[in-house]
Amino acid sequence: MSTVAALLARQWSSCHSPLLLKYPVYLSNSFLQLRCRSKAAAKTKPAVINETDDISLQSEVLVRPVPSKEQDLPALFIKPRGHLILQPKFSPLDIKDHAKLIAAVLKTPQDPEPIPGIPNHEVNLSDSVTPRDLEWNSVKVDLKDLPKQYLRLSKIRLTGLVVITTVAGYIFAPAPLDPTVLALASLGTGLMSGAANSINQFLEVPYDAQMSRTKSRVLVLQSLSPLHAVGFALGAGTVGLTTLYFGVNGLTCAIGAANLLLYTCVYTPMKRISILNTWVGSIVGALPPVMGWTACTGELEVGALLLAGLLYAWQFPHFNALSWNLRPDYSRAGYRMMSVTHPGLCRRVALRYSVAIMAMSCAAPLLDVTTWTFAIDSVPVNAYLVYLAWRFYKDSDSKSSRKLFRYSLIHLPMLLILLLISKKHPGNKSETSSPIVTSAA
């Protein structure tokens, strides 16, 4: 490691002013860190290091180990298995040049360690990754493991939640239940969700590799090739759209196609651009029950909009509470999340939409969608959600966010069950309801 220090200092001194090297350079065995000390701490003259008789540092440099868990350091990754951490005093060009130097010296890859901190917005992640690092190796797939890999690629738990909300929207609609149409709608929606999640994982491989929560995904581990994943997404999306169009109706197919494009082409890239990605993602999560409603009735009515509004509002306390404890991961990968860039707004939004869920539940009987029993029965369910969101807003700690997230997982099923129990027109479509959009199919 001292050889690395000597080579780095010599290269640095040949390109930069010697004044920069008045401040000590820190190196550790687990990963390389460059950190300039403050002027006050630099008053003590550091020792001069001589690596060999032929290699001597012309400027004053102090080399010493640092703890592996350093707090509040911006992170720049050379590759998923190595780290380069620089203070923002250095310019992006300096970082780019010396990242290549260090990557060439450190031939042995090192296991990454989680590094809390904030993203360095002055550094472009693509500048620190060489084309060779982005190359994919040949992947051999065992046919026995292929179904399991497809389920992981589709994010089966998330896809299952999408299908459940679609079924709830179908059953809640005021029309007779057709088991065949319900099965086709569920199948088509599930395939569309699997295709969208596959494209999402394909686009986010470099960033998933840097997050503890996502580093075990299929494409990060190279269990499947990118071409294989894209082929699966195209196949699942095509079969899903065909099933919805010919087996259900054109309106449901159009909503599904729009949701697929919204998730892959708008939400996924927006995660690295603006915190508005949370609002766009909430729209994506609100459309599956609408697809279930239109699959049953062929029309877009007020009841479908109520379902969409409840699912839309539920996304915020659920995801904001989840993302609160994942801030180091999102920061390290460069995602623009409310919990990272606007923590106060994150807590306020979770509380506001929790109150909005209670308001919409009370308004459901007024829209002639449910009986008044739903407004009464949903009060304790929604009130506890509001209470946990308020505790999260006041305490803003891991304990309160974890409680809110866990309760949101059971809050949604309870709310949907109460909706189905208090359904206003069971099995018979209301003659007074006026459709907003009617399917042509």
Side-chain angles (χ1 to χ4, degrees):
M1 187 57 68
S2 58
T3 303
V4 177
L7 180 58
L8 178 61
R10 171 173 292 184
Q11 178 70 12
W12 191 280
S13 61
S14 63
C15 302
H16 298 79
S17 171
L19 295 177
L20 288 176
L21 291 178
K22 287 184 177 180
Y23 309 113
V25 177
Y26 290 74
L27 299 175
S28 68
N29 295 326
S30 58
F31 52 83
L32 187 60
Q33 295 181 333
L34 302 182
R35 181 181 179 186
C36 288
R37 296 178 64 186
S38 63
K39 293 183 179 180
K43 292 182 179 179
T44 302
K45 183 178 179 180
V48 178
I49 301 285
N50 291 329
E51 174 62 20
T52 63
D53 294 338
D54 298 331
I55 301 178
S56 61
L57 302 182
Q58 300 176 356
S59 301
E60 296 176 344
V61 177
L62 175 63
V63 180
R64 66 169 117 176
V66 296
S68 59
K69 295 183 179 179
E70 187 76 6
Q71 299 294 328
D72 299 329
L73 288 179
L76 165 65
F77 286 76
I78 296 177
K79 56 180 66 177
R81 294 179 295 180
H83 301 81
L84 170 64
I85 295 146
L86 299 176
Q87 288 288 42
K89 290 182 179 179
F90 302 101
S91 66
L93 294 179
D94 296 336
I95 294 174
K96 179 179 178 181
D97 294 340
H98 290 278
K100 294 180 180 179
L101 170 64
I102 298 171
V105 175
L106 298 178
K107 296 181 180 179
T108 304
Q110 303 174 1
D111 294 331
E113 297 183 13
I115 306 172
I118 59 174
N120 190 348
H121 301 293
E122 299 179 0
V123 179
N124 188 351
L125 183 62
S126 62
D127 291 340
S128 57
V129 180
T130 63
R132 184 178 297 275
D133 296 328
L134 299 178
E135 291 181 358
W136 287 88
N137 300 324
S138 58
V139 178
K140 295 182 180 180
V141 181
D142 189 354
L143 294 180
K144 295 181 180 179
D145 296 334
L146 201 56
K148 180 180 178 181
Q149 304 296 353
Y150 284 159
L151 292 179
R152 294 177 59 194
L153 190 64
S154 303
K155 300 180 184 177
I156 187 59
R157 288 184 294 182
L158 179 59
T159 298
L161 178 62
V162 169
V163 173
I164 290 175
T165 56
T166 302
V167 173
Y170 188 99
I171 298 176
F172 185 63
L177 188 147
D178 188 338
T180 302
V181 176
L182 175 60
L184 292 175
S186 302
L187 176 62
T189 304
L191 290 172
M192 295 291 293
S193 176
N197 291 325
S198 301
I199 295 296
N200 173 264
Q201 290 195 49
F202 168 75
L203 295 175
E204 295 185 341
V205 170
Y207 316 114
D208 286 345
Q210 302 177 40
M211 298 178 60
S212 301
R213 175 172 167 261
T214 58
K215 64 183 180 182
S216 61
R217 286 182 174 175
V218 175
L219 295 182
V220 176
L221 298 178
Q222 299 188 16
S223 301
L224 293 176
S225 67
L227 182 61
H228 195 150
V230 173
F232 169 77
L234 292 176
T238 302
V239 175
L241 285 175
T242 304
T243 302
L244 291 177
Y245 184 80
F246 292 101
V248 185
N249 55 58
L251 179 58
T252 305
C253 178
I255 297 175
N259 211 21
L260 175 64
L261 293 176
L262 187 63
Y263 185 76
T264 57
C265 299
V266 180
Y267 169 71
T268 298
M270 187 178 287
K271 289 165 67 177
R272 301 184 58 81
I273 299 174
S274 171
I275 62 172
L276 294 177
N277 69 81
T278 306
W279 280 266
V280 176
S282 297
I283 297 175
V284 174
L287 289 181
V290 178
M291 295 174 63
W293 181 288
T294 58
C296 182
T297 64
E299 299 172 347
L300 188 60
E301 300 171 313
V302 176
L305 298 183
L306 174 66
L307 282 173
L310 290 173
L311 265 293
Y312 175 82
W314 176 83
Q315 306 283 332
F316 291 94
H318 171 74
F319 179 76
N320 287 14
L322 171 65
S323 63
W324 188 260
N325 291 327
L326 298 175
R327 287 177 294 172
D329 262 4
Y330 285 127
S331 173
R332 185 159 50 243
Y335 288 121
R336 303 283 294 179
M337 297 298 176
M338 270 191 291
S339 59
V340 177
T341 60
H342 300 76
L345 179 64
C346 175
R347 303 192 305 272
R348 291 194 299 270
V349 167
L351 178 58
R352 291 170 187 170
Y353 281 95
S354 298
V355 175
I357 292 176
M358 176 173 284
M360 284 186 285
S361 299
C362 295
L366 299 177
L367 299 175
D368 199 32
V369 177
T370 66
T371 62
W372 281 100
T373 57
F374 174 71
I376 299 173
D377 295 339
S378 63
V379 168
V381 176
N382 292 327
Y384 190 60
L385 180 71
V386 173
Y387 168 75
L388 292 179
W390 179 77
R391 294 305 314 174
F392 174 54
Y393 170 73
K394 297 293 292 184
D395 298 340
S396 64
D397 56 5
S398 298
K399 182 179 179 181
S400 59
S401 64
R402 194 175 293 111
K403 284 185 177 180
L404 177 59
F405 170 72
R406 290 174 178 173
Y407 180 72
S408 68
L409 295 176
I410 63 175
H411 171 266
L412 181 61
M414 289 192 297
L415 196 64
L416 292 177
I417 292 174
L418 292 177
L419 272 171
L420 298 180
I421 294 175
S422 305
K423 182 178 175 181
K424 185 67 175 291
H425 307 286
N428 295 305
K429 190 174 180 179
S430 174
E431 298 179 357
T432 61
S433 61
S434 55
I436 300 175
V437 179
T438 305
S439 174

